Amino acid sequence: MPNHRREFLKNIAGTVVAFTIIPRHVLGRGYPAPSDQLTKGVIGMGVAGRQHIDYAGTRVTAICDVDKSKLLTDKKVKTFDDYRHLLLQKDVDIVHIATPPHWHGLIAMEAAAAGKDIWCETPMTHSIAEGKQVVNAVQTYGRIFRLNMNHRLEGNFYGTNLPVKKLKKLTFSGLLGWPLTITLAPQTGFSWPAQYIGLTSLPAQPVPATLNYDRWLGPAPYKPYHIDRIRNFGGYWDYGGGILGEIGQQYLDPVQYLLDKDETSPTEVEVETPLQHPDAAGTWQKITFTYQDGCKIILDPEGRNADAPFISGPNGKLYADFRSDIPDLEKQLANFPDPPLAVTDFVKAVKERQTFVTNEENGHRSCTLVNMGKIALQLGRSLQYDPEKQTFLFDEGANKLLNQPLRTTWK
């Protein structure tokens, strides 16, 4: 090959490499970027934030954490201690929100306004009103939203040893009848570990030099620093919601899908609980959600009904390992269609502007289950709910908790 030809191709190659970092939003919606990799910014560098640093098809270009000690990385990325600076970066297509839950809604709304697609950890939001606002923001700005969920369409559903697709096929078939009751308890395959319990006495401690504690609190009410607020944030109502807030949406989102409730919410939530501390989340015995058509979801962490099936209906019951009192259930089920497909590849969803399987709308509804339960636990009473207006009935105390109170410096 002639030297001038070799030099020409070398220069062209260098030009192509230089342009592979162009973020997708620069090219406009619906147009592929020159690179097959999407650029990503991660906000919150704890366990969840670090888990997906090397997610296939993406490349991290920026990270953010209010604790500077967590910004150390072997990757050549930009680092920030204020998420608002990260949102200004042009070389970020996707924002991964891996902060404590009290930040999720606010950052998601601002990320949507900044033209970023969003990958959010659970729970989706800290309050019901925030969930409505996130749905509005994502759709107003035309963004793609992913809630980081397990088991909605793929894999076995936690300890039941049952494929979710097979479960959906069963509930869709009507073989169990209707309405259905689904019980999440140790004997049906769901562990509710006694974790994320807050301390009721927290003497003030010195704030570590690497931590911007005021920024960590953000929209939450000011309370003096104590390491347990940071290390065990899920144990406090201001930042999490106990074990229900920590794992509740992971358990409840697939159940909502099984019951075909992605577009609605229960009309009642009943709780059996000791009096909860106003700051620290505690243990509880039972939560029951009831829908307008009579379907129920029962959370029974103590497993008090040892014989409870996973799913029960007027025509039969289903236990772990697909045991049932319906003869030849699997043979009968083979005559019914599989559930409809959905987009489970987030990179594909972003590139092709397709709705992801766990998105802002169904995510808001499953997170509403969590936030309804949290409010009932905090108040220590059962509540009635209007799933269309998304407000509680006959209970102003409950309605005051629909939104997360923001400190005056945040809105």
Side-chain angles (χ1 to χ4, degrees):
M1 181 184 295
N3 288 337
H4 67 276
R5 172 70 170 165
R6 187 177 293 111
E7 288 299 316
F8 175 78
L9 292 178
K10 181 179 178 182
N11 291 336
I12 289 294
T15 302
V16 172
V17 170
F19 276 92
T20 58
I21 64 171
I22 293 179
R24 191 159 308 274
H25 70 268
V26 170
L27 300 173
R29 184 171 178 176
Y31 293 89
S35 171
D36 287 335
Q37 282 194 323
L38 297 169
T39 55
K40 184 171 66 174
V42 182
I43 303 175
M45 292 302 294
V47 174
R50 291 183 180 275
Q51 269 184 338
H52 301 287
I53 284 286
D54 296 317
Y55 186 77
T58 68
R59 178 169 56 84
V60 173
T61 57
I63 61 174
C64 175
D65 202 285
V66 295
D67 187 341
K68 292 181 180 180
S69 69
K70 294 183 179 179
L71 293 176
L72 301 175
T73 176
D74 58 356
K75 296 181 180 293
K76 294 180 179 179
V77 299
K78 288 174 280 190
T79 61
F80 303 96
D81 62 358
D82 188 326
Y83 74 92
R84 293 169 293 190
H85 295 158
L86 183 146
L87 293 181
L88 293 174
Q89 303 308 302
K90 300 299 184 183
D91 60 342
V92 171
D93 292 321
I94 301 164
V95 170
H96 181 185
I97 304 171
T99 62
H102 70 291
W103 271 112
H104 289 182
L106 190 60
I107 295 177
M109 285 182 267
E110 293 193 47
K116 312 301 184 185
D117 295 314
I118 301 158
W119 175 337
C120 186
E121 295 296 324
T122 58
M124 177 174 146
T125 58
H126 196 47
S127 71
I128 293 172
E130 271 188 336
K132 293 169 62 178
Q133 292 167 338
V134 169
V135 171
N136 181 62
V138 169
Q139 296 180 356
T140 296
Y141 294 105
R143 308 324 305 163
I144 303 300
F145 184 95
R146 168 186 177 157
L147 189 64
N148 197 30
M149 289 291 313
N150 298 319
H151 308 308
R152 176 171 263 255
L153 286 182
E154 298 176 341
N156 286 355
F157 192 20
Y158 292 98
T160 64
N161 294 321
L162 301 172
V164 178
K165 287 183 180 178
K166 195 173 182 180
L167 289 171
K168 179 60 177 176
K169 187 173 181 176
L170 174 62
T171 58
F172 185 75
S173 72
L175 289 172
L176 296 176
W178 203 267
L180 299 176
T181 295
I182 296 183
T183 301
L184 307 185
Q187 69 271 20
T188 63
F190 298 86
S191 171
W192 294 89
Q195 297 174 357
Y196 307 102
I197 306 300
L199 301 176
T200 56
S201 178
L202 294 174
Q205 295 178 338
V207 178
T210 61
L211 175 67
N212 188 328
Y213 180 59
D214 185 73
R215 193 170 291 155
W216 184 91
L217 287 172
Y222 177 80
K223 288 174 182 174
Y225 172 83
H226 188 284
I227 190 173
D228 201 63
R229 291 193 183 279
I230 308 292
R231 185 173 53 195
N232 181 35
F233 57 79
Y236 299 90
W237 298 117
D238 286 345
Y239 331 115
I243 192 61
L244 178 62
E246 186 63 24
I247 64 174
Q249 191 167 15
Q250 293 284 340
Y251 282 178
L252 289 166
D253 182 83
V255 170
Q256 172 181 276
Y257 169 67
L258 294 178
L259 294 176
D260 198 26
K261 304 301 185 188
D262 277 343
E263 298 178 358
T264 190
S265 298
T267 55
E268 186 176 16
V269 55
E270 303 171 79
V271 293
E272 295 180 29
T273 179
L275 181 66
Q276 297 287 318
H277 189 272
D279 183 30
T283 59
W284 43 270
Q285 284 75 51
K286 189 177 182 181
I287 302 176
T288 302
F289 299 98
T290 304
Y291 290 88
Q292 190 169 17
D293 64 357
C295 285
K296 292 180 182 288
I297 304 173
I298 298 174
L299 312 184
D300 178 17
E302 296 179 348
R304 289 185 290 180
N305 182 0
D307 297 324
F310 173 44
I311 307 177
S312 63
N315 299 340
K317 300 174 182 179
L318 182 78
Y319 298 85
D321 301 313
F322 223 78
R323 291 183 297 107
S324 177
D325 56 357
I326 298 178
D328 300 317
L329 178 60
E330 293 202 61
K331 186 176 180 180
Q332 292 188 58
L333 193 60
N335 298 318
F336 291 88
D338 290 332
L341 299 176
V343 179
T344 57
D345 183 332
F346 185 54
V347 170
K348 179 181 179 182
V350 170
K351 288 182 177 180
E352 300 181 6
R353 313 314 292 170
Q354 297 180 356
T355 301
F356 190 70
V357 61
T358 49
N359 52 69
E360 72 280 2
E361 288 193 336
N362 56 38
H364 166 53
R365 287 295 184 173
S366 58
C367 196
T368 293
L369 287 163
V370 172
N371 287 320
M372 283 179 69
K374 281 166 44 184
I375 292 171
L377 290 173
Q378 287 178 275
L379 296 174
R381 57 179 178 263
S382 299
L383 303 169
Q384 293 178 282
Y385 190 72
D386 184 329
E388 291 189 10
K389 295 181 179 178
Q390 299 187 57
T391 57
F392 292 99
L393 301 175
F394 323 116
D395 199 316
E396 286 308 307
N399 283 327
K400 289 180 180 178
L401 297 177
L402 284 171
N403 211 339
Q404 172 186 355
L406 304 182
R407 284 200 290 165
T408 54
T409 52
W410 294 93
K411 62 180 179 179

